[in-house]
Amino acid sequence: MNLKTTVLGQTYQFRDVKEVFAKANEDKSGDQLAGIAAADSRERVAAKQVLADMTLADIRNNPLLPAEEDEVSRVIEEGINEKIYSQIKNWSVAELREYLLSHQAGDSEIKRISRGLSSEMIAATAKLMSNLDLITAAAKIRNVSHCNTAIGQAGVLASRVQPNHPSDNVQGIKASLYEGLSYGIGDAVIGINPVIDTADSVKDILMMTKEVMDKWDIPTQNCVLAHVSTQMRAIRQGAPADLIFQSLAGSEKGNKAFGIDVALLNEADELMRKEGTSTGPNFWYFETGQGSELSSEAHFGIDQLTMEARCYGLARKYQPFIVNTVVGFIGPEYLYDSRQVIRAGLEDHFMGKLHGLPMGCDVCYTNHMKVDQNDMDNLGILLSAAGVNFVIGVAMADDVMLNYQSTSFHDIAAFREVLGLRPAPAFEKWLEKMGIMENGKLTAIAGDPTIFM
């Protein structure tokens, strides 16, 4: 395996595959903070040249984090279809990229070869792609999932309604929920981030959301995004949970910082199959975000894009209903400005889709980043064009509990209208029954939550 190349008369010799991966990554403040980023654009180009010529077998045979040292690596290894891998293992990363972008590679062809790819192979491909490449390849892939209802179909842009409240006041949550529903938002999930991480609080919120769903016959699913162990206690106490949630990291050490491991996820998976209230077969909601492993000193010198891809390799094991990257939530230490946030959102969406995941994105930023709402409009419309399964809807794009900026209810309505996209089919029928939507367009009463009072 060649780890050396010459660019404009200067020779670059890389130590190992891990260094090539890190320096081939597009500019990210997190990689700079970790001390592993390319020194300049010329070194980045050199690393990309070396990476482009690597074969998929080279990547698998030189693991960045060996399976004997990390359970996430073991999950990724165990998930590879060996027959398919054997047919493509001698492809270079450049050849894989060319295939994904070729006219002969459609949804079914890409899904087939994806079963023979590791997360690191997928990450390597993303590093060689332009933003338009990431959009073009992701748009070919439709990963449909089903909980109570199905999302991910061609022409569908689903949404999570996120009616968070700074004190978990159930009536306050309900008021925000009704506003979101009135804009046609909530077909992916009614998902609340709780302030109070107790089983009783989680149960109260789940019961309220289920009562609203039953009263208005809403075809969707509910979830409270507490720690998985808290949700498990609430479910065992009779809480009506359609989905179970957890944030993931790309290493065993990173997941321990989240208070989880594969054994706990397996236990939660079994509990949902026995006591969850949804139809299934997809019961999980996972969230990720570039940089979380650096925060917990659990990245092992691996760049943040590749660690993010490994999150998707772990998520794939559980066949989730939805996964989303909370792309700009962690802050400028990891993604400094709009250019980096937009790039990361497109990378994450592509990598999740190529893993076979029903991939969404929280198009968001924190107030100390060099980003504004226009940048989020740009990323939102790009992801919608790329076929993102769902995005997040927050009242006025301003989350009053988590104190960050996302996309508003009416932003998502605009994405749909501009690109000719629709809500999930069952949810659209409900919107028509309620008079909120007609012929794929919002009606005059849309945005008026008093229709639920």
Side-chain angles (χ1 to χ4, degrees):
M1 182 174 56
N2 180 32
L3 297 176
K4 183 168 69 172
T5 192
T6 300
V7 176
L8 297 176
Q10 182 172 347
T11 299
Y12 293 88
Q13 174 71 58
F14 300 100
R15 292 188 310 275
D16 50 26
V17 175
K18 186 185 293 187
E19 184 181 19
V20 172
F21 265 61
K23 294 191 172 180
N25 201 17
E26 289 299 302
D27 194 27
K28 302 282 176 61
S29 55
D31 293 336
Q32 294 170 356
L33 185 63
I36 59 174
D40 52 33
S41 296
R42 188 179 295 185
E43 187 178 28
R44 182 173 297 108
V45 168
K48 286 179 185 287
Q49 286 186 357
V50 171
L51 182 62
D53 291 337
M54 276 186 195
T55 66
L56 304 184
D58 288 335
I59 293 172
R60 191 176 189 189
N61 295 336
N62 294 273
L64 306 187
L65 185 53
E68 52 269 27
E69 300 175 15
D70 183 89
E71 68 176 9
V72 175
S73 297
R74 291 194 289 276
V75 168
I76 293 168
E77 268 293 302
E78 291 163 3
I80 294 175
N81 182 299
E82 296 294 346
K83 183 174 288 188
I84 295 172
Y85 167 74
S86 68
Q87 296 168 0
I88 61 175
K89 66 181 182 180
N90 293 322
W91 288 13
S92 68
V93 178
E95 287 172 328
L96 175 58
R97 171 190 172 274
E98 289 296 322
Y99 178 77
L100 294 172
L101 295 171
S102 68
H103 292 301
Q104 65 262 35
D107 177 65
S108 59
E109 291 82 8
I110 292 175
K111 283 178 177 172
R112 180 183 180 277
I113 69 160
S114 74
R115 296 167 59 212
L117 298 174
S118 71
S119 300
E120 286 80 2
M121 298 171 199
I122 291 171
T125 312
K127 294 170 189 290
L128 300 186
M129 287 182 154
S130 68
N131 286 7
L132 184 57
D133 290 342
L134 296 168
I135 293 168
T136 302
K140 297 182 179 187
I141 308 168
R142 305 308 316 187
N143 295 327
V144 178
S145 56
H146 192 286
C147 184
N148 289 323
T149 59
I151 65 169
Q153 305 91 334
V156 167
L157 173 60
S159 56
R160 169 187 162 191
V161 62
Q162 183 171 298
N164 293 345
H165 191 276
S167 65
D168 284 350
N169 181 281
V170 172
Q171 293 306 311
I173 293 170
K174 186 186 292 187
S176 184
L177 168 58
Y178 281 152
E179 184 183 15
L181 292 169
S182 74
Y183 277 104
I185 308 307
D187 44 344
V189 63
I190 299 170
I192 295 94
N193 299 88
V195 178
I196 307 163
D197 196 272
T198 66
D200 287 342
S201 180
V202 168
K203 184 177 179 181
D204 288 345
I205 297 171
L206 285 169
M207 289 182 69
M208 180 275 290
T209 54
K210 184 61 76 172
E211 287 169 3
V212 169
M213 290 167 61
D214 291 344
K215 178 179 179 179
W216 296 100
D217 196 24
I218 306 171
T220 188
Q221 27 283 317
N222 71 343
C223 185
V224 174
L225 285 68
H227 190 271
V228 64
S229 58
T230 308
Q231 295 169 81
M232 291 167 71
R233 289 193 294 272
I235 291 166
R236 288 178 173 130
Q237 294 173 18
D242 294 331
L243 289 169
I244 193 162
F245 166 85
Q246 183 53 46
S247 295
L248 297 181
S251 68
E252 181 177 355
K253 184 179 179 183
N255 284 316
K256 284 182 178 177
F258 282 144
I260 63 168
D261 55 20
V262 169
L264 181 60
L265 296 177
N266 290 343
E267 182 184 351
D269 188 70
E270 183 179 358
L271 177 66
M272 282 300 290
R273 295 182 185 282
K274 291 181 178 178
E275 299 188 37
T277 51
S278 59
T279 305
N282 309 118
F283 304 103
W284 276 99
Y285 176 6
F286 292 121
E287 281 189 346
T288 65
Q290 289 193 29
S292 62
E293 298 82 10
L294 182 57
S295 297
S296 56
E297 299 182 350
H299 61 100
F300 300 93
I302 301 170
D303 67 277
Q304 63 185 42
L305 179 149
T306 303
M307 292 305 290
E308 178 74 4
R310 288 169 54 85
C311 296
Y312 305 143
L314 176 56
R316 180 162 59 177
K317 170 181 170 67
Y318 297 98
Q319 300 180 331
F321 176 65
I322 46 177
V323 180
N324 76 264
T325 169
V326 192
V327 67
F329 184 73
I330 304 180
E333 299 86 354
Y334 311 103
L335 298 170
Y336 179 69
D337 57 17
S338 60
R339 182 170 177 270
Q340 293 187 15
V341 170
I342 290 170
R343 173 71 189 187
L346 297 176
E347 289 169 343
D348 296 353
H349 176 246
F350 161 76
M351 294 192 299
K353 280 286 190 71
L354 192 51
H355 276 86
L357 296 175
M359 195 68 196
C361 182
D362 190 349
V363 180
C364 65
Y365 65 101
T366 55
N367 288 314
H368 58 314
M369 299 172 73
K370 289 189 69 175
V371 183
D372 63 23
Q373 205 64 38
N374 287 329
D375 299 316
M376 296 303 96
D377 291 347
N378 293 343
L379 179 54
I381 206 77
L382 291 172
L383 285 168
S384 298
V388 70
N389 277 40
F390 76 105
V391 289
I392 311 293
V394 177
M396 299 300 293
D398 183 10
D399 193 296
V400 295
M401 190 278 278
L402 291 172
N403 195 29
Y404 79 117
Q405 314 305 310
S406 185
T407 42
S408 71
F409 304 142
H410 51 280
D411 289 338
I412 299 169
F415 297 157
R416 287 171 173 165
E417 186 166 342
V418 168
L419 295 175
L421 302 171
R422 312 284 278 261
F427 196 78
E428 183 174 354
K429 289 181 180 178
W430 175 78
L431 292 171
E432 290 174 342
K433 184 177 73 174
M434 294 294 296
I436 296 169
M437 182 169 275
E438 184 176 348
N439 297 322
K441 303 286 186 182
L442 293 176
T443 65
I445 69 168
D448 180 5
T450 64
I451 61 176
F452 295 102
M453 297 177 186

